[in-house]
Amino acid sequence: SLRHLVCRLLLEKKKKKRDKEGHYKDKIQAYKKTKEEMIVTSAARSTQVNQRRSQDQDTSLGAVKKS
């Protein structure tokens, strides 16, 4: 019947919309995860750079004190 056909088409449309929204949510979550990983990586690099600078300064001060 026509009524049954219309209901089926509306349900299919709703399902497609739900699937599409789920797909975008997955992409957004992946983007957020990547962004968080980049922030963590950046923070780790900053820490490493600061440690190297500190070691370099300690080495420089040790050389000055020995002289």
Side-chain angles (χ1 to χ4, degrees), residues 27-66:
K27 279 191 167 190
I28 290 170
Q29 287 176 346
Y31 172 76
K32 286 180 179 179
K33 185 177 179 182
T34 303
K35 190 172 180 182
E36 288 172 2
E37 289 172 352
M38 289 172 60
I39 291 170
V40 169
T41 303
S42 177
R45 285 184 188 147
S46 295
T47 303
Q48 290 174 347
V49 167
N50 289 336
Q51 288 174 344
R52 285 186 199 138
R53 286 181 184 160
S54 177
Q55 290 172 350
D56 290 345
Q57 287 176 351
D58 291 345
T59 304
S60 298
L61 292 174
V64 171
K65 287 181 181 178
K66 289 180 181 178

